[in-house]
Amino acid sequence: LKNYVSRNISLIIIFTVVFATNAIYYFTAFPGFSHAYSFFLISAFLYFSKKFSQEKKKKQIYLLAIITSFILITRPVNVLVALVFFTENKFTDLKSVLKWKDIVAFVMLGLLICLPQLLYYNYLTGSFMTYSYGDEGFTNLSKPYLVEFWFSFCNGLFTYNPIWFLLVFIAVFLSVKKSRIGHFTLLTFIIFSYLLASWHAWAFGCSYGSRNFVDFLPIYAVAMAVFYQKFLTKKIIPVVLIAVYIGASTLYNFTLMKNYEKCFFGDHCWDTESFINKNLLK
């Protein structure tokens, strides 16, 4: 983040994406889920992607290939975020430092990293490739539960973490301003909202908020930094208003986390009374 903004602003952004969201919940209460590790891997990918844009060294591409392989085996669908590389770089930048032997090396390196997982699958199931979710899948692709996924009390993205209103606003604003990171964050939000709302259990069981979006928070952190760098510097009133909103969102998040019982136990996903009484006024 310090590639874009000062150290103090970087710390505020880190505070926002960790403490005003359910990231802190999955970093501390449920670190057995994959989300904390995906958060780290995507952060590392962003870091070395930026380093390559500055230095254009081949070793950074090798590091990105290694990180991409770990992203793939940690949560396969997240490999799509590797395209964020092109928000800072161009395809011609890759061509200028890579040769065909490097492409072959990347493939071999990726297979080597994935091999332990493939061997484990083979040990368990007799097959190197297996679908570990069994009969579960994206059965609602023709009718995704987007409204429920975003706003219901069954782990709604905005309901549990209203800071996402700000993050999505920034993505839209940057996109309108023709920023590549804006286009990418907005596209990421739309694509993954659609996919996750199409999952057969779109609320993802006993969760705190839409836990899948924890993985992508580092990308939104960079978008926040670009937003501040290009449009908020020396603009006191918007900065103060955003700071107040971040503070209020953090207070709301910690109040909800303190009272939350791992699952929403209302009568239905729009049971406002149960949500408020059990989680906010408890």
Side-chain angles (χ1 to χ4, degrees):
L1 292 174
K2 288 192 291 183
N3 286 302
Y4 307 93
V5 290
S6 69
R7 180 176 181 275
N8 289 339
I9 298 299
S10 297
L11 290 172
I12 291 171
I13 293 172
I14 292 170
F15 176 93
T16 302
V17 299
V18 174
F19 294 105
T21 73
N22 52 347
I24 188 65
Y25 185 82
Y26 286 98
F27 288 176
T28 57
F30 288 93
F33 283 81
S34 67
H35 308 299
Y37 311 104
S38 291
F39 184 103
F40 159 72
L41 289 167
I42 292 172
S43 297
F45 189 94
L46 288 166
Y47 175 80
F48 287 108
S49 180
K50 184 65 176 179
K51 289 281 284 185
F52 178 76
S53 73
Q54 295 169 333
E55 301 174 6
K56 300 292 188 294
K57 292 183 179 179
K58 185 183 294 188
K59 67 178 182 180
Q60 290 143 4
I61 299 298
Y62 273 86
L63 287 168
L64 287 169
I66 292 170
I67 294 166
T68 302
S69 299
F70 278 109
I71 290 173
L72 177 65
I73 62 173
T74 303
R75 197 171 181 85
V77 70
N78 286 359
V79 76
L80 293 173
V81 304
L83 294 173
V84 75
F85 175 84
F86 294 104
T87 63
E88 295 279 358
N89 303 283
K90 298 177 181 178
F91 186 72
T92 52
D93 296 330
L94 283 176
K95 289 179 64 177
S96 66
V97 298
L98 297 182
K99 298 178 180 179
W100 278 109
K101 65 178 182 180
D102 296 310
I103 306 299
V104 174
F106 293 157
V107 173
M108 298 301 293
L109 192 59
L111 287 173
L112 184 63
I113 290 170
C114 294
L115 184 60
Q117 184 69 54
L118 299 179
L119 291 172
Y120 185 58
Y121 279 151
N122 187 62
Y123 170 75
L124 287 177
T125 68
S127 173
F128 288 102
M129 300 297 291
T130 185
Y131 182 68
S132 57
Y133 285 97
D135 295 330
E136 300 176 6
F138 297 96
T139 56
N140 299 308
L141 288 171
S142 62
K143 50 174 183 178
Y145 288 81
L146 280 169
V147 174
E148 292 85 351
F149 179 78
W150 285 334
F151 300 111
S152 79
F153 299 119
C154 293
N155 302 318
L157 179 69
F158 296 101
T159 307
Y160 282 73
N161 293 139
I163 195 66
W164 273 100
F165 284 113
L166 176 61
L167 298 180
V168 173
F169 167 78
I170 289 173
V172 173
F173 184 90
L174 291 177
S175 187
V176 170
K177 296 294 184 178
K178 295 180 170 47
S179 165
R180 282 191 284 179
I181 190 66
H183 293 323
F184 188 83
T185 48
L186 184 58
L187 193 61
T188 299
F189 177 77
I190 293 170
I191 290 173
F192 282 97
S193 288
Y194 169 73
L195 287 175
L196 296 171
S198 300
W199 186 248
H200 76 103
W202 53 266
F204 288 86
C206 285
S207 304
Y208 177 69
S210 297
R211 56 187 173 86
N212 312 76
F213 270 90
V214 171
D215 306 19
F216 312 124
L217 283 169
I219 300 172
Y220 289 86
V222 171
M224 287 186 73
V226 172
F227 177 66
Y228 181 88
Q229 177 196 50
K230 292 187 176 181
F231 304 105
L232 287 186
T233 306
K234 298 180 180 180
K235 294 181 180 178
I236 301 300
I237 294 177
V239 169
V240 170
L241 290 174
I242 288 172
V244 169
Y245 188 75
I246 291 171
S249 297
T250 304
L251 178 62
Y252 175 90
N253 185 41
F254 271 77
T255 301
L256 199 54
M257 281 195 299
K258 177 178 178 291
N259 298 324
Y260 197 63
E261 298 179 348
K262 300 182 182 179
C263 301
F264 175 57
F265 294 110
D267 294 331
H268 51 83
C269 286
W270 301 104
D271 188 349
T272 308
E273 184 177 355
S274 291
F275 180 79
I276 293 175
N277 290 336
K278 292 181 179 179
N279 299 312
L280 295 178
L281 301 179
K282 187 174 178 180

